[in-house]
Amino acid sequence: MAKDSPISDISAVRRPVETARGLPNAHYVDPALWEEEKKAVLFSTWAGLAVEGEVPEPGDAKPMTFLGVPLLLIRDRQGHVRVFENICRHRGMILVEEARKIEGAIRCPYHSWCYGTDGRLVSTPHVGGPGHNKHDAIVREDLGLNEVRSHIWFGTVFINIDGQAAPFEEIHADLIERWKEFDQPMVHGGADSMFTLEVDTNWKLAVENYCESYHLPWVHPGLNSYSRLEDHYNIAEMGLYSGQGSLLYRQIKGDDGAVFPDFPNLSDKWDTGAEYMAVYPNVLLGAQRDHCFSIVLEPVTQTKTREHIHLFYSTKDTDDALREKNAAQWKTVFVEDIFVVEGMQKGRMAPQFDGGKFSPAMDGPTHCFHDWVAGRIEAHRNASE
């Protein structure tokens, strides 16, 4: 698509929030812009793939895809979580079809080339002819699995597909400092603390909705009854991240009044405070005194998104019933958002919608995200000239 095409004009997106427009409809429905966005926004940055709790033990492996790229999330024998392309270096065959524990080596089902959990090529049967397992042209040290650059923070596995992004710690230094008190062990709550929602919307609309608290009274009346709109504040760090905070976080309680143990050594701010942040491009995080969560948005197509929700605690010793109650409560909240993001996706088919008008007082976090996306696209276009 031409840079000056009317439907790809993003100049109005980068204005100050008082005069800015949202991203044009085409960025939610046009196939050409979907392909451009993959490269500019998702492959070239630190995108969320999973949480490390999905491979809790050495040898655990889980095949995944990210925008069609076949990947393997694995915890190696030394306990390190790594991400590889899920293909054999011989003929590009998919190696692992379903989640399982790798007891020995990762064996290709096609010609039986074998790899260690650290990606090393360790066996090439008959590669030099029947009974000859070596060949001078096959240098095993050069043919390990293709590793995808990855980084773990807040229990979440981030990947950089094109390998060109600045270090994660550099890009997100401000947010890491802001939440440094949560730089401590987080325990995944297990099977009853993860669930996935299938949503018919563009992934960006899920981010936009999560960023702001403006919709609370109407979309989340139950939540708003104890975490009111007026108890929230905006977070909008241009070019970095955005979200919302609450001054009145109330712990969930069991029938006997029990609560989850707090994360240790938190400052007084977190006694009644909580923050909910969009880590661009596709990870939504929640930080609270007694539990945290990570939502990894999987862009399936331009109009379909999977929301993978994971809950974390400060200790393994948490009550089963209270964990289940907590997961059910959050699921109710996140399900309430589905009709909104799906409705906005349908609205992007309205020819006269121009991206929308932001409320300077309420929509700063969403505008911050739009500005970041537009900036990534502009940089990509300029580099392609």
Side-chain angles (χ1 to χ4, degrees):
M1 182 172 295
K3 181 181 176 182
D4 59 354
S5 171
I7 61 171
S8 66
D9 180 8
I10 52 177
S11 58
V13 179
R14 308 213 68 193
R15 296 173 185 164
V17 64
E18 291 80 5
T19 58
R21 295 291 180 184
L23 287 162
N25 285 349
H27 288 267
Y28 302 85
V29 299
D30 187 281
L33 287 179
W34 169 242
E35 293 302 319
E36 180 183 49
E37 195 175 84
K38 286 182 189 179
K39 298 175 182 177
V41 179
L42 295 162
F43 287 168
S44 63
T45 56
W46 288 98
L49 175 68
V51 300
E52 61 174 332
E54 293 180 74
V55 285
E57 301 294 334
D60 287 350
K62 183 175 183 177
M64 313 185 80
T65 59
F66 184 75
L67 292 166
V69 179
L71 300 174
L72 184 64
L73 178 72
I74 190 167
R75 190 178 290 270
D76 68 21
R77 299 285 180 229
Q78 288 69 46
H80 303 125
V81 175
R82 307 173 75 158
V83 180
F84 297 103
E85 290 185 346
N86 187 21
I87 58 166
C88 181
R89 293 293 303 277
H90 178 213
R91 302 302 303 144
M93 176 66 182
I94 295 297
L95 293 170
V96 181
E97 291 282 2
E98 58 186 29
R100 61 184 174 89
K101 181 176 287 293
I102 305 297
E103 299 293 352
I106 303 168
R107 188 186 70 83
C108 178
Y110 194 10
H111 297 97
S112 209
W113 284 28
C114 294
Y115 302 85
T117 57
D118 58 1
R120 291 178 302 110
L121 178 60
V122 296
S123 176
T124 51
H126 307 305
V127 75
H132 299 279
N133 299 331
K134 294 184 179 181
H135 191 286
D136 290 344
I138 307 299
V139 182
R140 292 181 183 176
E141 290 77 12
D142 298 337
L143 292 170
L145 297 181
N146 294 320
E147 186 158 10
V148 176
R149 200 170 170 215
S150 63
H151 184 87
I152 296 175
W153 180 69
F154 211 82
T156 305
V157 181
F158 294 83
I159 57 171
N160 173 219
I161 291 289
D162 75 3
Q164 301 302 307
F168 183 94
E169 304 96 317
E170 178 182 321
I171 291 175
H172 294 294
D174 191 81
L175 180 55
I176 292 171
E177 174 64 21
R178 183 182 187 118
W179 279 7
K180 64 183 178 181
E181 293 174 83
F182 288 93
D183 184 15
Q184 54 180 291
M186 292 185 179
V187 178
H188 194 287
D192 60 0
S193 295
M194 64 173 74
F195 55 93
T196 296
L197 302 177
E198 304 274 350
V199 189
D200 292 329
T201 194
N202 184 279
W203 67 277
K204 295 190 298 298
L205 290 172
V207 178
E208 295 167 28
N209 176 70
Y210 183 82
C211 281
E212 49 97 340
S213 58
Y214 191 7
H215 65 286
L216 284 179
W218 306 282
V219 178
H220 305 297
L223 177 62
N224 192 67
S225 68
Y226 60 86
S227 182
R228 304 169 301 168
L229 174 62
E230 51 265 43
D231 298 323
H232 286 72
Y233 56 90
N234 290 341
I235 302 169
E237 297 293 337
M238 298 301 288
L240 298 176
Y241 56 85
S242 62
Q244 54 176 300
S246 173
L247 299 171
L248 191 60
Y249 170 67
R250 295 180 181 177
Q251 292 178 280
I252 190 171
K253 295 183 178 181
D255 295 338
D256 58 356
V259 296
F260 293 119
D262 288 343
F263 287 97
N265 304 316
L266 298 181
S267 60
D268 293 346
K269 165 187 174 178
W270 300 101
D271 288 350
T272 57
E275 290 190 340
Y276 308 97
M277 211 74 73
V279 184
Y280 306 154
N282 67 322
V283 175
L284 314 176
L285 300 179
Q288 297 136 154
R289 61 184 289 181
D290 60 348
H291 74 281
C292 297
F293 62 78
S294 175
I295 305 174
V296 179
L297 301 176
E298 178 189 351
V300 180
T301 68
Q302 195 171 27
T303 59
K304 290 185 181 295
T305 301
R306 291 192 186 101
E307 300 181 354
H308 302 282
I309 295 96
H310 298 268
L311 300 171
F312 303 98
Y313 301 94
S314 65
T315 175
K316 292 181 179 179
D317 300 322
T318 50
D319 181 76
D320 293 348
L322 189 55
R323 282 199 317 272
E324 291 178 9
K325 181 178 180 180
N326 193 38
Q329 179 172 290
W330 279 116
K331 188 172 185 178
T332 296
V333 172
F334 298 140
V335 167
E336 287 173 344
D337 287 316
I338 291 178
F339 91 95
V340 172
V341 295
E342 291 187 341
M344 286 192 291
Q345 181 66 38
K346 293 174 183 176
R348 267 49 186 182
M349 296 304 294
Q352 295 187 60
F353 184 70
D354 60 0
K357 176 67 175 176
F358 292 119
S359 160
M362 305 302 293
D363 290 321
T366 300
H367 170 251
C368 185
F369 173 62
H370 278 224
D371 176 82
W372 180 85
V373 171
R376 298 292 310 178
I377 293 171
E378 282 184 348
H380 176 75
R381 290 175 179 174
N382 290 336
S384 300
E385 288 182 343

